[in-house]
Amino acid sequence: MRYYQCEKYPIEFVVSENMDKRFDAHNHAGHYVISVVMRGAVTVDLESRKLVCHEGDVFVIPPYAVHSVCLKREARLLSMCVGTALVTGTDFETAEGIVREVSVDAVGQGIFGKVQEEKLLASMRAVFRIQDKGRKEMDTSIKFLADKIASHPECELTIETLAADIFVSKYYLIKKFKRSVGLTPHQFCIQNRIRKAQRLLDAERAICGVAAEMGFYDQSHFDKTFLKIVGISPSEYVDAKSVIRQSV
C-alpha cells in the first residue's frame, strides 16, 4: 500500500496492491471514499449490498456507511479519501476544481493515470448527490456519543459511562449504537484510535509514543490492531507515506 497526502487540502490517495487481504466491517466517520479498480477484481460489501467490481469500475463509500473490502493479490485499487469538510463547506464547482488541481499533480507524479483522474472527477458528482439527497439522520444522542468517541478515542469510555450520558441502559445503548453506526461502541472506539494513530504518525511522531498515547497496553497489541484495520504495520505505514507536491 502507498499513501499520498495533499498538503493544502483534506485529500489523500491510497493505492492498494500485491496484498491478499480482507478489510472487515468498518466505516469512515470523517471522509468520503471514491475507489477505482485499476486491475483485477475487488469485492465490496456495502451495508446490504454485495458488489464485485472489475477493472474500471468505481464505487463510493459515504461517511459512516459500514462496508468491508476484499482484495486478491492480483488486484490494484486506487482510493481517494475526501474530507467531509471539503464537501459540506464548499459548492460542487469549488470542490471539483480542488480535486482536479490535486489530481493533475498526482498524474504528473505518476501516482495514477488520466483514465483514473477522469473517473475520480466524474464521481465527485455522486458524492454531492449523496450529500444533497441526505442520508437518514443519526439519532441525536447517538451522534453525540459517536462524536465524543471519535474526538477522544484514546479515552477509556466505558459502556456504563456512555449509557449514563444519554440516560439509557448499557444493553439498549449497544443495540441502538450498532443500529445507527453499524459498529458497537467498542469497535468504533478501536477503529478511531487507529485513525488518530495514523494522523499522529503523519505528524512524524514516534511509533512507541503513539501506541502509548492511544491507550494500547503494549507495542505488540498496537501493531496487531493497526495491521488488522489498516492492512499494514505502523512501521510499514510510515514508510508508505508520501506528500503530493503541489504545482504553483
Side-chain angles (χ1 to χ4, degrees):
M1 298 179 77
R2 295 291 304 176
Y3 290 80
Y4 302 91
Q5 297 165 337
C6 177
E7 288 182 308
K8 291 170 61 177
Y9 306 109
I11 296 174
E12 179 182 63
F13 298 103
V14 183
V15 178
S16 305
E17 60 182 333
N18 300 322
M19 58 193 310
D20 198 348
K21 172 73 177 177
R22 176 181 173 84
F23 295 91
D24 291 331
H26 64 285
N27 58 25
H28 303 281
H31 56 262
Y32 291 80
V33 181
I34 302 172
S35 293
V36 182
V37 181
M38 300 178 71
R39 185 178 66 232
V42 176
T43 302
V44 183
D45 288 296
L46 177 56
E47 296 186 318
S48 60
R49 296 176 294 150
K50 183 167 187 170
L51 311 171
V52 180
C53 302
H54 298 88
E55 185 173 330
D57 289 342
V58 180
F59 57 91
V60 178
I61 309 292
Y64 283 103
V66 176
H67 60 287
S68 61
V69 180
C70 183
L71 294 92
K72 296 298 182 183
R73 187 162 296 278
E74 68 275 8
R76 188 178 195 213
L77 182 68
L78 166 67
S79 296
M80 178 173 72
C81 306
V82 181
T84 53
L86 183 62
V87 177
T88 59
T90 61
D91 55 51
F92 171 71
E93 288 74 18
T94 301
E96 183 186 43
I98 289 171
V99 171
R100 186 180 297 277
E101 175 189 335
V102 177
S103 297
V104 166
D105 291 329
V107 170
Q109 294 170 44
I111 298 170
F112 51 83
K114 292 290 293 181
V115 171
Q116 289 77 36
E117 176 191 3
E118 291 306 317
K119 287 182 179 292
L120 293 175
L121 287 169
S123 296
M124 283 300 295
R125 290 191 178 277
V127 165
F128 273 80
R129 280 199 300 271
I130 290 170
Q131 179 195 242
D132 290 342
K133 75 179 182 183
R135 293 172 53 80
K136 181 180 178 182
E137 283 295 320
M138 188 183 297
D139 179 276
T140 303
S141 61
I142 296 301
K143 188 176 188 312
F144 166 76
L145 294 182
D147 288 345
K148 183 176 183 179
I149 293 170
S151 298
H152 303 286
E154 68 278 12
C155 296
E156 287 293 341
L157 299 172
T158 66
I159 290 295
E160 289 78 10
T161 299
L162 294 171
D165 280 346
I166 60 171
F167 309 104
V168 298
S169 74
K170 63 181 182 180
Y171 305 105
Y172 181 74
L173 168 62
I174 293 171
K175 183 177 180 180
K176 190 174 183 179
F177 194 97
K178 186 165 186 179
R179 185 168 61 243
S180 296
V181 179
L183 304 170
T184 67
H186 176 71
Q187 290 170 327
F188 187 69
C189 179
I190 294 299
Q191 172 185 280
N192 279 278
R193 281 188 185 184
I194 295 300
R195 302 291 183 224
K196 187 168 182 177
Q198 287 178 271
R199 296 195 296 273
L200 293 176
L201 292 174
D202 293 342
E204 300 185 354
R205 297 279 297 277
I207 293 174
C208 59
V210 170
E213 186 172 338
M214 286 301 99
F216 290 92
Y217 53 79
D218 61 30
Q219 185 70 49
S220 175
H221 183 212
F222 176 58
D223 289 351
K224 187 180 296 184
T225 308
F226 195 100
L227 177 62
K228 181 180 180 181
I229 292 176
V230 180
I232 54 179
S233 70
S235 59
E236 289 172 326
Y237 176 76
V238 170
D239 291 339
K241 293 189 295 91
S242 300
V243 174
I244 297 173
R245 299 183 300 277
Q246 299 288 142
S247 56
V248 179

